[in-house]
Amino acid sequence: MSKAYPYPQIVTNEEWSVLETTDADPKARTDNLNRQMYVPMNRACGVCGINHGRMVRRHELGHAKWSPKTKGKLLRGTRSEAIDVLEEVRINHLLGRAKLHVSEPMKCMEEIKLDIINLIYTGSIADVILYGIASYSTEYSEASYINTTESKTYEYVTSTLTNATNDEDLTELRRAELSFALDVIGRFVRQITYHKYGQTISYRRVQKAAESLSKILEAFIDKPEPQDVKQQSKPAESNETESDEEGEANALSGELGASGLEKRMRESMINEMKYSTTDGIGRWGDMKVHTPALTVNLQGRLKGGRQYRPSDYGYNPKYINRYCIDKKIFKQKQRVLGGTILIDASGSMDFNGTDILEIMQMLPAVNIAMYNGRGSKGNLRIVAKNGMRVDNEYLDRHSGYGNVVDGPALQWLATQPERRIWVSDMHVFGVGNHASGFNLIKECYDICTKNKIINLKNIEEVKEHALKLSVV
């Protein structure tokens, strides 16, 4: 079969060197500076019968026509792949405007299907975004007033990702990540292809959009862990029937255990990722740690706390009256419980010195810190430690304002003694135009899940659950 040669010299009116891609060097490319083009020169595909090579040659001729001689200097952390993928979109769109649609896939659909499935289960968010954007092209349509619509390849990729966001075999976290990736794909395709009638889509638009895309790729370049992608199989339900007493206890406990609270925290954060974030990249403010004078001595009041507790084992049967209740008749010395509590002290939260005293009576060895911020700066203040706390006037003076430093504060909490409790409504905010960026809540999610941090919504929940949670 004869080979199909493209003729870029017709497009640019200059001499070109056109070479065929090989199995050892299969990547099609166009070098406008040296006027060299590498393309497949085959015709119909031997597997599916589609002329993929023609689409590739058409696309590379578009680069010869509209792409600059070089990418130019990459500024402000712009990644090369961000420039490349957005330029692919621009070229395919310009070809569509010229009625030279890249309307068929550049490789077999079976390969594309395998690619997208592998990305869903093993790819980073950055990988998914790049593939989705790169799949954009156009085809002829009578339904549109400009006779152009998105190609079936692009529709297949985006619809497959959309279906994956509702796939119950995937974790809630992975579905939220794929939903974010879809938003980013659509946003950047629109940013490159939208234009007014007669307006030119310049390469400068690609450079500008690549700056924003590069920040997203940088933030989400890590591959996912297998347990964060596929739902773990649930253990078979036990056939054993629990006693009425056990059933009543479990019903009363509900979500009160650490595992239940952790599940609630994960679900709340994932909902924040889905519905309360932007598709841009946010950043945290700068955080300063303060260790103010702890002037209120609680040692005397804490010592008055109960030193012994009933237990169902031991050698001193002091509480015989409990035998018919819970069989905890033995006297056991109370363990001194502690841990670290980090309180979101922004305007949406509320606590005072009395709250701290009640918590420390339950957990005498607890350390308590609070954080908040304003503008581009935030503060973390250690307000209780070793039976001492700050006065009420200090708490009132430094409460309120915004969040600003949720992430850095949680990083600090991750270094503190267990049990680690984060008291917050989980509406996290950084600084700048994307203060509620997806990356910020995702960072908080990762810190909490990797460092055994439990979230409680408010001070009342701390009083209700902290004692139980601190029994590690």
Side-chain angles (χ1 to χ4, degrees):
M1 184 180 292
S2 61
K3 293 185 177 181
Y5 287 87
Y7 293 94
Q9 51 267 43
I10 297 176
V11 174
T12 65
N13 202 28
E14 297 174 305
E15 288 299 318
W16 279 73
S17 174
V18 180
L19 304 172
E20 185 175 13
T21 55
T22 64
D23 291 339
D25 185 16
K27 183 176 176 59
R29 58 196 183 275
T30 299
D31 180 354
N32 282 359
L33 181 63
N34 298 304
R35 295 193 295 278
Q36 290 183 336
M37 182 179 288
Y38 294 81
V39 290
M41 295 183 182
N42 60 317
R43 296 184 185 273
C45 173
V47 177
C48 66
I50 295 175
N51 195 339
H52 307 302
R54 181 177 63 176
M55 297 294 103
V56 176
R57 292 188 293 272
R58 182 176 295 180
H59 177 79
E60 295 305 321
L61 285 171
H63 279 297
K65 171 71 174 175
W66 290 298
S67 289
K69 292 187 181 298
T70 67
K71 292 180 186 178
K73 187 176 181 180
L74 300 182
L75 300 175
R76 288 171 282 193
T78 302
R79 298 176 69 92
S80 178
E81 61 264 43
I83 288 278
D84 292 340
V85 75
L86 294 176
E87 180 65 352
E88 301 288 277
V89 171
R90 186 177 80 99
I91 294 303
N92 282 343
H93 190 72
L94 291 174
L95 285 166
R97 286 174 60 178
K99 310 303 181 188
L100 295 168
H101 303 283
V102 181
S103 53
E104 295 180 318
M106 295 191 190
K107 59 182 179 179
C108 297
M109 280 303 298
E110 289 304 315
E111 289 185 52
I112 293 174
K113 291 177 182 179
L114 287 175
D115 288 345
I116 198 66
I117 292 300
N118 286 333
L119 285 171
I120 288 171
Y121 284 93
T122 64
S124 67
I125 302 179
D127 293 334
V128 175
I129 290 170
L130 287 172
Y131 195 92
I133 294 175
S135 68
Y136 173 83
S137 61
T138 62
E139 63 182 46
Y140 176 80
S141 170
E142 293 183 352
S144 169
Y145 76 96
I146 58 173
N147 295 332
T148 297
T149 189
E150 295 164 348
S151 68
K152 290 182 175 58
T153 304
Y154 180 70
E155 287 182 353
Y156 173 79
V157 170
T158 54
S159 64
T160 302
L161 290 173
T162 301
N163 291 338
T165 64
N166 299 309
D167 186 351
E168 294 186 357
D169 286 339
L170 300 175
T171 63
E172 287 283 353
L173 172 62
R174 189 58 174 174
R175 285 185 260 172
E177 290 176 337
L178 294 175
S179 179
F180 169 74
L182 269 169
D183 290 342
V184 173
I185 291 166
R187 168 191 163 193
F188 281 96
V189 166
R190 290 190 300 271
Q191 191 170 340
I192 296 300
T193 60
Y194 174 78
H195 59 88
K196 296 179 181 178
Y197 180 77
Q199 183 182 16
T200 300
I201 303 176
S202 68
Y203 181 70
R204 176 59 189 145
R205 183 184 294 194
V206 168
Q207 290 177 308
K208 187 174 180 180
E211 292 180 25
S212 300
L213 179 58
S214 296
K215 293 177 183 177
I216 296 175
L217 299 179
E218 193 71 39
F220 297 105
I221 202 167
D222 293 334
K223 304 284 186 185
E225 296 294 333
Q227 65 269 22
D228 292 333
V229 174
K230 195 169 177 59
Q231 287 280 20
Q232 302 299 311
S233 57
K234 295 181 180 180
E237 293 184 4
S238 173
N239 292 325
E240 296 179 7
T241 57
E242 58 184 12
S243 67
D244 292 341
E245 187 176 317
E246 289 173 338
E248 184 178 349
N250 289 337
L252 289 173
S253 64
E255 286 190 336
L256 305 189
S259 60
L261 288 168
E262 184 178 356
K263 180 181 178 182
R264 185 186 73 170
M265 177 186 70
R266 289 173 181 262
E267 291 174 348
S268 296
M269 284 189 167
I270 288 169
N271 284 334
E272 286 288 313
M273 291 183 211
K274 286 181 177 178
Y275 307 117
S276 302
T277 60
T278 65
D279 58 9
I281 293 298
R283 63 184 180 87
W284 303 116
D286 297 324
M287 187 181 79
K288 184 177 181 180
V289 179
H290 301 264
T291 54
L294 305 179
T295 57
V296 180
N297 189 340
L298 302 176
Q299 294 287 356
R301 301 179 71 175
L302 294 178
K303 287 178 181 177
R306 190 173 187 177
Q307 296 181 354
Y308 296 92
R309 63 183 175 88
S311 175
D312 56 3
Y313 64 90
Y315 58 87
N316 186 355
K318 181 179 180 180
Y319 306 106
I320 297 295
N321 60 303
R322 299 183 67 99
Y323 183 82
C324 294
I325 302 173
D326 55 14
K327 295 184 172 59
K328 294 183 178 181
I329 64 174
F330 297 101
K331 175 182 176 182
Q332 287 284 3
K333 190 171 181 63
Q334 183 83 280
R335 282 191 292 172
V336 178
L337 303 176
T340 308
I341 297 176
L342 176 67
I343 300 173
D344 170 3
S346 62
S348 59
M349 307 296 288
D350 181 39
F351 72 105
N352 54 43
T354 303
D355 294 324
I356 291 179
L357 174 61
E358 291 184 30
I359 293 169
M360 295 185 76
Q361 283 178 327
M362 291 187 291
L363 311 173
V366 74
N367 298 329
I368 302 176
M370 69 180 202
Y371 72 93
N372 55 10
R374 182 165 54 175
S376 62
K377 298 184 183 298
N379 299 284
L380 184 145
R381 307 174 195 277
I382 299 171
V383 296
K385 189 174 183 179
N386 298 330
M388 304 284 289
R389 72 166 176 87
V390 297
D391 57 36
N392 282 0
E393 193 253 331
Y394 184 91
L395 294 175
D396 294 338
R397 188 167 69 251
H398 295 291
S399 296
Y401 308 116
N403 295 56
V404 181
V405 289
D406 297 275
L410 286 171
Q411 291 282 16
W412 173 87
L413 178 60
T415 66
Q416 302 304 304
E418 296 186 24
R419 173 84 64 161
R420 306 181 185 109
I421 298 173
W422 175 34
V423 185
S424 173
D425 53 15
M426 290 194 293
H427 298 316
V428 305
F429 292 95
V431 298
N433 294 331
H434 295 286
S436 58
F438 181 93
N439 65 306
L440 299 185
I441 186 67
K442 177 64 164 58
E443 181 180 334
C444 292
Y445 179 95
D446 289 340
I447 295 170
C448 289
T449 55
K450 292 176 182 177
N451 295 283
K452 299 180 181 178
I453 295 173
I454 296 294
N455 170 260
L456 298 176
K457 299 293 186 183
N458 50 51
I459 292 296
E460 293 306 314
E461 283 199 359
V462 177
K463 296 174 186 177
E464 183 179 355
H465 304 315
L467 183 61
K468 188 177 297 185
L469 290 174
S470 293
V471 182
V472 182

